[in-house]
Amino acid sequence: MIIGKPANQKATAIGQTDMNISPESLQAFAQAASCGSLSAAARRLGKSQSTVSEAVARLEIDLGVALFERGPRHLQLTEAGASLLAHAEEVLCASDRLARHAAGLARGQEARLTLALSDAYQPKQYEVRLQELDQRFPDLQFESLIAEQADVLDLVTQGRAQLGLLGAQPTYPPHIAHARLEMSSEFGLFVAKDHPLSKLAQVRQEDLSHWRLLRLSSVAHDDANTDDLPGSGGRCWAAPDYLMLLEMARLGFGWAELPRQLVDTYSFGSLHELPCSGWPRRVTVDAIWSRQRELGPVAAWLLDRLLEDS
């Protein structure tokens, strides 16, 4: 015996615009398929058997196909039912995501979060934090921007990023809130392995001044040179991030201050660390946000988790 009307007795063709498939019908269908019986599905859903039976029958009418055949002991999916079950489950999952996302927005949860991230921040825990973010807020739109120094400050000031991580600055504008992460990154001075500086047993400040300096620049400002590196008689090349500086150094264009972990990961053994007094040095990292914009629940959660890594 077939539940509902068979395919040749359609009340509503699939292509018609008045089809109105309810989530309740899809839920009854999926649960009945899982349980193998209408009575078990009704108990699982907390509904009467007649309600579940009616929902399945209504879905068969709407779809124009028979979904189940009743066997002696349990329901059996028809070929069409088996084919449509995966689609029904996809719709139910999408409906669940919609409900969760709407509930989060109603609680004030932001739909999007942008983090401006310096290469000075490279703890192994960051991958773990992203995994937690994905699991806890699966519908969040997350963006990570690589930026340094003044550009991180600018992105947070403009509201382009809610949070920023950068090498600790001596002072901040009054509108920028900050918290110190106890972790730090180690920076060294690097050149290409065949650069003349790499042949020196000990490198002095005056040795560095004879060769081109590769330093950070800013996208937002004409000149945001805030480092304390020795000058090179005006001979310098600049780039807005450390990875570009690393590539310039690898090609032999000059020497650069670089995070050791970045060099270990991306130089593939092509750079030489200069033995210079005062180097390597450790750079602490700050988290920053704007006092002019209240952090949303997701940003506040991520900030707390990053500070816990300290």
Side-chain angles (χ1 to χ4, degrees), residues 153 156-159 173-177 289-295:
L153 288 165
V156 172
T157 297
Q158 294 176 2
H175 65 277
I176 292 293
W289 62 98
S290 174
R291 290 193 173 100
Q292 297 173 327
R293 300 175 185 84
E294 184 179 357
L295 289 180

Side-chain angles (χ1 to χ4, degrees), residues 26 93 170 213 216 272 305:
L26 292 176
C93 287
L213 163 65
L216 283 176
H272 170 79
R305 299 298 284 135

Side-chain angles (χ1 to χ4, degrees), residues 249-267:
R250 189 186 68 81
L251 293 171
F253 296 137
W255 60 273
E257 176 191 25
L258 298 169
R260 271 181 158 182
Q261 186 174 338
L262 198 72
V263 171
D264 292 342
T265 304
Y266 294 107
S267 73

Side-chain angles (χ1 to χ4, degrees), residues 231-282:
S232 301
R235 291 184 301 156
C236 74
W237 285 8
D241 64 70
Y242 286 113
L243 199 57
M244 293 180 70
L245 292 182
L246 184 153
E247 185 65 12
M248 289 179 179
R250 189 186 68 81
L251 293 171
F253 296 137
W255 60 273
E257 176 191 25
L258 298 169
R260 271 181 158 182
Q261 186 174 338
L262 198 72
V263 171
D264 292 342
T265 304
Y266 294 107
S267 73
F268 306 108
S270 62
L271 293 180
H272 170 79
E273 185 170 0
L274 298 176
C276 186
S277 178
W279 301 86
R281 65 179 180 180
R282 301 203 72 84

Side-chain angles (χ1 to χ4, degrees), residues 104 108-113 133 136-137 140-142 162-163 295-305:
Q109 178 181 310
E110 57 269 51
R112 181 185 180 92
L113 174 63
L133 186 70
R136 190 178 183 92
F137 307 102
L140 176 76
Q141 295 184 49
F142 178 71
Q162 288 78 36
L163 288 173
L295 289 180
V298 181
W301 174 88
L302 181 58
L303 175 60
D304 289 341
R305 299 298 284 135

Side-chain angles (χ1 to χ4, degrees), residues 186-235:
E186 200 165 50
F187 280 68
L189 302 183
F190 293 88
V191 293
K193 282 197 167 181
D194 58 355
H195 192 281
L197 282 172
S198 69
K199 308 300 188 293
L200 300 179
Q202 185 66 31
V203 177
R204 302 167 300 170
Q205 298 287 324
E206 50 265 39
D207 295 324
L208 294 173
S209 65
H210 295 314
W211 299 95
R212 181 185 290 124
L213 163 65
L214 307 175
R215 69 169 179 84
L216 283 176
S217 61
S218 170
V219 174
H221 306 281
D222 289 339
D223 188 4
N225 183 12
T226 59
D227 56 47
D228 55 357
L229 300 174
S232 301
R235 291 184 301 156

Side-chain angles (χ1 to χ4, degrees), residues 146-166:
I146 299 299
E148 300 295 341
Q149 298 179 350
D151 290 333
V152 177
L153 288 165
D154 209 55
L155 288 167
V156 172
T157 297
Q158 294 176 2
R160 178 66 178 83
Q162 288 78 36
L163 288 173
L165 297 176
L166 76 167

